[in-house]
Amino acid sequence: MLKALLTDIDGTITDSSRRIHTGSIDTIRSLVDEGIIVVLASGNAPCFMEALCKMIGTQGTFIAENGGVIRIGYTGTLQVIGDQRAPREALAILQAHYHLQGKELELFSPTYRHADLAFARTVPATEVQELLTDFPVQVIDTGYAIHLQSPGINKGTALVELAGKLGLAPHEFLAIGDSVNDIQMLRTAGIGITVANAHPETKAAAAYVAEKQYGDGFVEAVKKYSSYFRAR
């Protein structure tokens, strides 16, 4: 029934201090060793995702920048799905606004991003949303950063694109996440599950909510659905 696993990183395969949960690594490597495709999905930049794939031990396929960029395997070409033009213009508006208040936004890897732009949560996400109400961008608060993304781009749309290139269907994926930016991914996958520390809206979108938090919840969830992979 299931042929691949798609998982978020921060808050899902980490602990409460954002350190990678070692039990999650062992679980992922066991799946990879069984021939199951494991895809990492995050709001982080592609260079970060490549390094993490290598260190954890996946096959190198990932979704980066909240669905704005995908890559198949380590030798695949980066495929940019999003469009950074509107996010750049929106960021300029925000920077000008906060500069007048004596505040400077702390950008995350701006030179390494291709689709979205991200900055630290040193300003209220609700205020950012209000400032950009009439601007054609999504404001995404992941709980770890605030992202500016093209409308209609998310981890769910990236899953559809990526699945086709892997010769799979979205319903053949088990997806695990914790934040609101994972909701579309959970709804698009065959089975969407979340960990106990997840946002309430994310829990509402999941078919199963793990009893445990963070990486422990990830391990719990994968074990619960392990027979679905064997059925393939």
Side-chain angles (χ1 to χ4, degrees):
M1 180 179 179
L2 295 174
K3 296 182 180 180
L5 170 69
L6 174 61
T7 181
D8 172 56
I9 299 171
D10 285 312
T12 303
I13 61 170
T14 61
D15 61 18
S16 59
S17 300
R18 292 189 72 185
R19 298 175 299 186
I20 293 292
H21 182 267
T22 55
S24 296
I25 294 177
D26 290 338
T27 297
I28 289 172
R29 289 177 179 174
S30 294
L31 293 174
V32 171
D33 290 345
E34 292 176 20
I36 297 165
I37 297 171
V38 177
V39 180
L40 302 183
S42 173
N44 280 293
C47 56
F48 175 91
M49 298 301 292
E50 176 170 9
L52 197 59
C53 286
K54 289 181 177 178
M55 292 297 182
I56 290 178
T58 71
Q59 300 95 337
T61 298
F62 62 72
I63 294 172
E65 299 184 40
N66 287 307
V69 179
I70 64 173
R71 192 187 71 182
I72 307 299
Y74 289 108
T75 59
T77 301
L78 283 182
Q79 299 173 52
V80 180
I81 303 172
D83 187 336
Q84 203 182 55
R85 287 175 294 180
R88 283 199 299 266
E89 293 176 12
L91 178 63
I93 291 172
L94 294 175
Q95 288 176 316
H97 172 82
Y98 287 113
H99 181 73
L100 291 175
Q101 297 183 6
K103 301 177 183 178
E104 301 298 333
L105 298 180
E106 180 187 346
L107 303 184
F108 291 153
S109 308
T111 58
Y112 299 104
R113 290 182 173 272
H114 305 269
D116 80 353
L117 291 168
F119 50 90
R121 299 173 76 244
T122 54
V123 295
T126 53
E127 184 177 73
V128 171
Q129 182 70 66
E130 291 173 2
L131 290 168
L132 300 176
T133 298
D134 298 322
F135 210 83
V137 294
Q138 298 181 78
V139 177
I140 305 169
D141 182 5
T142 67
Y144 299 96
I146 298 173
H147 295 254
L148 305 178
Q149 178 65 276
S150 302
I153 300 295
N154 55 63
K155 292 181 182 179
T157 57
L159 169 55
V160 173
E161 185 79 15
L162 181 143
K165 294 181 182 301
L166 289 171
L168 300 174
H171 71 260
E172 294 178 301
F173 281 77
L174 172 68
I176 308 178
D178 74 298
S179 187
V180 291
N181 66 322
D182 296 319
I183 291 175
Q184 295 91 343
M185 176 180 83
L186 301 189
R187 289 175 173 166
T188 303
I191 300 175
I193 57 182
T194 191
V195 288
N197 55 285
H199 190 282
E201 292 180 24
T202 312
K203 289 181 178 180
Y208 174 74
V209 178
E211 295 181 3
K212 297 179 181 179
Q213 298 185 341
Y214 300 100
D216 289 329
F218 171 84
V219 174
E220 172 197 332
V222 173
K223 285 182 179 179
K224 177 177 176 62
Y225 288 93
S226 60
S227 62
Y228 288 64
F229 290 109
R230 297 193 188 98
R232 67 196 176 94

